[in-house]
Amino acid sequence: MNPPHVVILGGGFGGLAAARALRRAPVRVTLVDRQNHHLFQPLLYQVATAALNPSDIAAPLRHLLRGQKNATVLLADARAIHTDRRVVELVDGELAYDHLIVATGATHSYFGHDEWASRAPGLKSLEDAVEIRQRFLLAFEAAEREPDADRRRALLTFVVVGAGPTGVEMAGAMAEIAHHTLASEFRHIDAASARIVLIEGVDRVLPAYTADLSASALDELHRRRVEVRLGARVTRIEDECVHIGDERLPACTVVWAAGVAGSPLARTLGAPLDRAGRVVVDETLTIPGHPEVFVIGDLAALTQDGRPVPGVAQNAIQGGEYAARCIARRLRNETVEPYRYRDLGSMATIGRNAAVVDANGVRLTGPLAWWAWLVVHIMALVDFRNRVFVLMQWAWSYLSFGRGARLITRKVPPTLISRDDDRDDDAPSKPADTAAATR
Amino acid sequence: MNPPHVVILGGGFGGLAAARALRRAPVRVTLVDRQNHHLFQPLLYQVATAALNPSDIAAPLRHLLRGQKNATVLLADARAIHTDRRVVELVDGELAYDHLIVATGATHSYFGHDEWASRAPGLKSLEDAVEIRQRFLLAFEAAEREPDADRRRALLTFVVVGAGPTGVEMAGAMAEIAHHTLASEFRHIDAASARIVLIEGVDRVLPAYTADLSASALDELHRRRVEVRLGARVTRIEDECVHIGDERLPACTVVWAAGVAGSPLARTLGAPLDRAGRVVVDETLTIPGHPEVFVIGDLAALTQDGRPVPGVAQNAIQGGEYAARCIARRLRNETVEPYRYRDLGSMATIGRNAAVVDANGVRLTGPLAWWAWLVVHIMALVDFRNRVFVLMQWAWSYLSFGRGARLITRKVPPTLISRDDDRDDDAPSKPADTAAATR
């Protein structure tokens, strides 16, 4: 008889932890992901801001599980889950399971304005990160060639929506690049004059942290000349303009880091969802009537001690390990205890020498927090090679103020470089023959 | 009065060398490129084969020239050169020049079959390299899921067309990855059984090298189980099949590394072109009637001592420096001597511990040549940071047999993963429920 088949959907922190925790269990494991790599998402903003290479924060799933004989990696796209037949529907086939662990995570939410997605990309995948990096770097290139002063201003205005950890880290990193790394490299613009605007709906940055850490992060953002707009909402996004409440802010580059929306796969489970589309799970992380279907990580909506469990890597990892343990115990006919998320603390970095850390009542800010952040993230990087390389690149950036991965690798759209209308006389003082003249 | 304006088209080895050589000249320099980065093209195949990251072999042009006050970098697309009006036509404007250095290089030639380009991409840009890396890695993923034995065979057959340095290096690297790096990571296929087929029209590999070095390279390729077909021509490329002469070879992945075609910009110069579309220049690297227009590097067709000057980085660099020297001397009303290419030797690597070197009569093969290749390439890498990182990654790959940059970052086309027809009974022995069943 074949050993029971455990299918894991998603190779993020939760899925990978579950697969690994099943290495000694008498089961066959199939880990399904649309991508061939596990991604260290907390550092994704560093790819978006040209500090790290895509491969520094990603490792092939196949490579990570190569030594685990009971595990198979499948590069495939899951479309639906048929809990009645215990089958996962793929784009090009089906996959039967005995136990299922759904770990497909969540993405950002545009609060009903999905049409904003192309203008204001979120940061969830390596493609997103490279796309944002291109837009960010191209904006400076376009500004260098732009004779119209207003449009130049809009090109050098960068808006980050949402001041959670990702938004704060993005804004801080963008400010450092504009004000330090690029400062001396352009001839017609002053990169240091770039505006970084961080927009948050509630009244403080890092709302999930304690009030004094929020205040400290705000200080650090101000010190980096990030303009923080609290209690502000984006009401409209146009081609080169963001509306904040009633204000119209000309800005060509917008990054979205707000809201939460569960992976669409959740809707096919037939289980109750919360308003953000996450699956409401019971205390064993399973769905009603299906003890063989676990939902873990960001996709699970779970409250503990009256507070929602946060969508952080630690919760995904602990959930994955818990689900694996439950499956192993059930195969031995043992009972399972309820899931308990153990908060190991949270941290966010604002930039060079500045971070906030909150771990079991210990709160750190400034350089000490930054070094703590660095050590924790280096240690957590999945495979050893990445650790070495990330450490090297950080050391380099730290010592040189440089950024190693400033590449624009797609074909440059001519429209981003220059427009043929709306010139005015306030053009930067450059020799007439280097300006792009209208034909 | 404004100082004379020198426009350089192309930020490769030649263009960059010219810009730098003009740093003390009383001129304004504008370096125009479609990309924001200088690319170290000789190592591009290492990105295509997942050994290096794109940013390891590329550096922003703006960063490289940031300290040179008389130089401006322009991210722009040149469409035509009007030598009569001394103007470069950009996609979105014009650029007047007093002196022009055309260094836009050459690409591969499909010998009149441009329709093959999408099936058999060449290797000229970072996008090309990432595209080839994706195709190469995806082919193994697709084979892992493919139940049809014939199609699995085609997925695991990789064809490289052209056995010049790029083709030899690609084939050698592909063989090492398939036979070592990936060997233990798949469950249903044996990656080590992959076939790498190298096709060359003439009767030996590395035809520009001496006969004994060609023979040595062929030995090393055989040792790596690369199938070399000499005196063979590609007559047709279909969707999953390459025709070599009358033979039909099922192969899903084809890389093109044959032929030379000058940049299309050359056609707008009004100067004589050779059959490959390169500009026939005189002994001062200028075109007839226009001593102010230099053509350097791969785009120039030049014979010296009865032999064509090869399209190598050294010729581009020496040409760029020569053009800069000519411009500076003319401004002082001094005469210019004819250009002489000084052959510093050529080298190619076949893989781990195997290379061939031919430098002024000194010929090396095997490990010694490989180490020489390594030192020369590390020293030649443009900026210091890249040197350190490339060296680190190579050290890592050398010690671990691993490859650091094995990322598939685009959305995976479902068609590449599996087809719904043509199943047969010779499928790999995998549990029925992990096979992609036809719905």
Side-chain angles (χ1 to χ4, degrees):
Chain A
M1 197 190 91
N2 262 338
H5 188 208
V6 180
V7 170
I8 302 172
L9 302 181
F13 286 111
L16 186 61
R20 287 182 158 172
L22 286 166
R23 66 188 172 282
R24 293 205 182 80
V27 295
R28 289 174 296 128
V29 177
T30 301
L31 179 63
V32 179
D33 202 298
R34 275 186 300 200
Q35 304 280 8
N36 81 328
H37 51 269
H38 169 75
L39 182 63
F40 194 86
Q41 234 171 22
L43 292 178
L44 200 50
Y45 81 96
Q46 296 223 351
V47 174
T49 54
L52 292 178
N53 272 301
S55 75
D56 293 328
I57 60 162
L61 286 165
R62 209 171 275 299
H63 183 72
L64 294 173
L65 292 174
R66 70 191 180 288
Q68 187 171 331
K69 292 299 173 206
N70 71 350
T72 302
V73 174
L74 206 61
L75 184 67
D77 203 348
R79 282 296 158 91
I81 297 159
H82 302 286
T83 50
D84 48 343
R85 297 190 288 131
R86 296 198 180 175
V87 151
V88 176
E89 179 186 328
L90 307 174
V91 169
D92 55 347
E94 290 192 344
L95 196 57
Y97 62 83
D98 300 305
H99 305 266
L100 180 68
I101 301 177
V102 186
T104 48
T107 182
H108 295 299
S109 158
Y110 290 91
F111 306 118
H113 290 278
D114 287 348
E115 73 275 14
W116 293 349
S118 64
R119 279 285 298 122
L123 186 63
K124 279 289 172 185
S125 69
L126 282 177
E127 292 99 320
D128 295 338
V130 170
E131 173 69 23
I132 289 171
R133 181 177 78 187
Q134 315 254 45
R135 291 186 184 207
F136 182 67
L137 296 174
L138 274 174
F140 289 94
E141 297 290 340
E144 171 85 347
R145 290 192 63 188
E146 178 59 54
D148 179 272
D150 288 339
R151 187 157 189 272
R152 211 158 57 233
R153 200 86 209 105
L155 282 164
L156 292 178
T157 302
F158 302 89
V159 174
V160 178
V161 184
T166 301
V168 166
E169 288 168 336
M170 277 294 299
M174 283 180 162
E176 287 191 353
I177 298 177
H179 303 156
H180 293 286
T181 313
L182 298 180
S184 65
E185 297 193 4
F186 291 86
R187 299 286 178 261
H188 306 309
I189 58 167
D190 176 15
S193 72
R195 288 174 70 188
I196 319 290
V197 183
L198 178 62
I199 299 173
E200 169 58 47
V202 304
D203 63 350
R204 59 191 177 102
V205 301
L206 300 177
Y209 291 59
T210 61
D212 52 334
L213 288 181
S214 289
S216 165
L218 185 63
D219 268 0
E220 291 287 0
L221 286 166
H222 282 153
R223 195 164 305 160
R224 281 164 178 74
R225 293 196 278 128
V226 173
E227 302 174 30
V228 183
R229 307 278 185 93
L230 299 173
R233 280 185 191 284
V234 171
T235 47
R236 198 170 151 198
I237 300 185
E238 293 172 328
D239 241 13
E240 304 200 338
C241 175
V242 177
H243 293 258
I244 308 167
D246 296 332
E247 181 196 346
R248 189 180 172 283
L249 177 70
C252 292
T253 311
V254 188
V255 178
W256 196 266
V260 177
S263 146
L265 208 55
R267 293 196 285 266
T268 69
L269 276 171
L273 306 180
D274 73 356
R275 274 179 47 196
R278 288 172 301 193
V279 181
V280 180
V281 292
D282 62 23
E283 58 177 17
T284 59
L285 300 186
T286 58
I287 59 172
H290 289 283
E292 78 283 5
V293 178
F294 295 85
V295 180
I296 63 170
D298 288 4
L299 188 58
L302 183 70
T303 50
Q304 187 171 291
D305 307 334
R307 286 175 49 188
V309 173
V312 296
Q314 266 305 320
N315 178 46
I317 293 169
Q318 292 176 26
E321 289 170 348
Y322 171 83
R325 202 161 55 236
C326 286
I327 292 169
R329 289 180 70 93
R330 281 198 201 134
L331 292 176
R332 298 192 299 262
N333 288 316
E334 297 171 3
T335 55
V336 297
E337 78 283 24
Y339 173 69
R340 277 212 62 86
Y341 165 63
R342 204 171 131 245
D343 185 1
L344 297 177
S346 42
M347 42 189 20
T349 176
I350 298 105
R352 197 180 176 75
N353 286 331
V356 295
V357 172
D358 182 358
N360 297 318
V362 179
R363 288 177 204 149
L364 301 174
T365 60
L368 192 61
W370 189 75
W371 286 102
W373 177 92
L374 199 124
V375 169
V376 166
H377 281 81
I378 283 289
M379 295 312 295
L381 268 180
V382 174
D383 100 320
F384 173 70
R385 178 186 173 281
N386 288 356
R387 277 185 210 166
V388 177
F389 284 83
V390 168
L391 198 56
M392 289 275 304
Q393 313 235 29
W394 283 348
W396 181 266
S397 295
Y398 189 79
L399 296 173
S400 71
F401 281 86
R403 296 267 163 169
R406 279 167 45 203
L407 295 182
I408 301 172
T409 50
R410 70 168 169 200
K411 303 275 180 259
V412 175
T415 50
L416 224 168
I417 299 186
S418 182
R419 295 183 311 173
D420 283 357
D421 49 351
D422 292 344
R423 314 275 158 182
D424 72 6
D425 292 325
D426 200 7
S429 58
K430 50 179 158 181
D433 50 359
T434 51
T438 312
R439 277 175 293 153
Chain B
M1 198 189 93
N2 263 337
H5 189 208
V6 180
V7 170
I8 303 172
L9 301 180
F13 286 110
L16 187 60
R20 287 181 159 174
L22 286 167
R23 66 189 172 283
R24 292 205 184 80
V27 294
R28 289 174 297 130
V29 177
T30 301
L31 178 62
V32 180
D33 202 297
R34 275 187 300 200
Q35 305 279 9
N36 81 327
H37 50 268
H38 169 76
L39 181 64
F40 195 86
Q41 235 172 20
L43 292 178
L44 201 50
Y45 81 96
Q46 297 224 350
V47 174
T49 54
L52 293 178
N53 273 301
S55 75
D56 293 328
I57 60 161
L61 286 166
R62 210 171 275 299
H63 183 71
L64 295 173
L65 293 175
R66 70 192 179 287
Q68 188 170 331
K69 293 298 174 205
N70 70 349
T72 302
V73 174
L74 206 61
L75 185 67
D77 203 348
R79 283 297 159 89
I81 296 160
H82 302 286
T83 49
D84 49 342
R85 294 191 290 130
R86 296 197 181 176
V87 151
V88 176
E89 178 185 328
L90 307 174
V91 168
D92 56 348
E94 289 192 342
L95 196 57
Y97 63 83
D98 299 305
H99 304 266
L100 180 68
I101 301 177
V102 187
T104 48
T107 183
H108 296 299
S109 159
Y110 290 92
F111 306 117
H113 290 279
D114 287 347
E115 72 276 14
W116 293 350
S118 66
R119 279 287 297 122
L123 186 62
K124 279 290 172 182
S125 69
L126 282 178
E127 292 100 318
D128 294 340
V130 171
E131 173 69 25
I132 289 171
R133 181 177 79 187
Q134 315 257 44
R135 291 187 186 207
F136 182 68
L137 296 173
L138 275 173
F140 289 93
E141 297 289 341
E144 171 84 346
R145 291 192 61 189
E146 178 60 53
D148 179 272
D150 288 338
R151 187 157 189 271
R152 211 158 56 234
R153 200 86 207 104
L155 282 164
L156 292 178
T157 302
F158 302 88
V159 174
V160 179
V161 184
T166 300
V168 165
E169 288 168 335
M170 277 294 298
M174 283 179 163
E176 287 191 352
I177 299 178
H179 303 155
H180 293 286
T181 313
L182 298 179
S184 65
E185 298 194 3
F186 292 85
R187 299 287 177 262
H188 306 308
I189 58 167
D190 177 14
S193 72
R195 288 174 71 189
I196 319 288
V197 183
L198 178 62
I199 299 173
E200 169 58 48
V202 305
D203 63 350
R204 57 188 177 105
V205 302
L206 299 179
Y209 291 60
T210 61
D212 54 334
L213 288 181
S214 289
S216 164
L218 185 64
D219 267 0
E220 292 286 1
L221 287 165
H222 283 152
R223 196 165 304 162
R224 282 163 178 74
R225 292 196 278 128
V226 173
E227 301 175 29
V228 183
R229 308 279 184 91
L230 298 173
R233 283 187 189 280
V234 172
T235 47
R236 198 167 151 200
I237 301 186
E238 292 171 328
D239 240 12
E240 304 198 338
C241 175
V242 178
H243 293 257
I244 307 168
D246 297 333
E247 180 195 348
R248 188 180 171 283
L249 176 70
C252 291
T253 310
V254 188
V255 177
W256 195 266
V260 177
S263 149
L265 208 56
R267 292 196 286 266
T268 70
L269 276 172
L273 306 180
D274 74 356
R275 274 179 48 197
R278 288 173 300 194
V279 180
V280 180
V281 291
D282 62 23
E283 59 178 16
T284 60
L285 302 185
T286 58
I287 59 173
H290 289 285
E292 78 284 6
V293 178
F294 294 85
V295 181
I296 63 170
D298 288 5
L299 187 58
L302 182 71
T303 49
Q304 187 171 291
D305 307 332
R307 286 176 50 189
V309 173
V312 295
Q314 268 304 320
N315 177 45
I317 293 169
Q318 293 175 25
E321 290 169 349
Y322 171 82
R325 203 161 52 236
C326 286
I327 291 169
R329 289 179 71 92
R330 282 199 200 132
L331 292 176
R332 297 192 300 262
N333 289 316
E334 297 172 3
T335 54
V336 297
E337 78 280 28
Y339 173 69
R340 276 211 65 85
Y341 165 63
R342 201 169 135 249
D343 186 1
L344 297 177
S346 43
M347 40 188 23
T349 176
I350 299 104
R352 199 181 177 73
N353 286 332
V356 294
V357 171
D358 183 0
N360 296 318
V362 179
R363 288 178 203 149
L364 303 174
T365 60
L368 192 61
W370 189 75
W371 285 102
W373 178 91
L374 200 122
V375 169
V376 166
H377 280 80
I378 283 288
M379 296 312 295
L381 268 179
V382 174
D383 100 321
F384 173 70
R385 177 187 174 282
N386 288 355
R387 279 186 209 167
V388 176
F389 283 83
V390 169
L391 198 57
M392 291 274 305
Q393 312 236 31
W394 282 349
W396 181 266
S397 295
Y398 189 79
L399 297 172
S400 71
F401 281 86
R403 296 266 163 170
R406 279 167 44 204
L407 295 182
I408 301 172
T409 50
R410 70 168 169 200
K411 303 277 179 258
V412 176
T415 50
L416 224 167
I417 299 185
S418 180
R419 294 183 313 172
D420 284 357
D421 50 350
D422 293 344
R423 313 275 158 184
D424 74 6
D425 292 325
D426 199 8
S429 60
K430 50 179 157 180
D433 51 358
T434 51
T438 312
R439 275 176 292 150

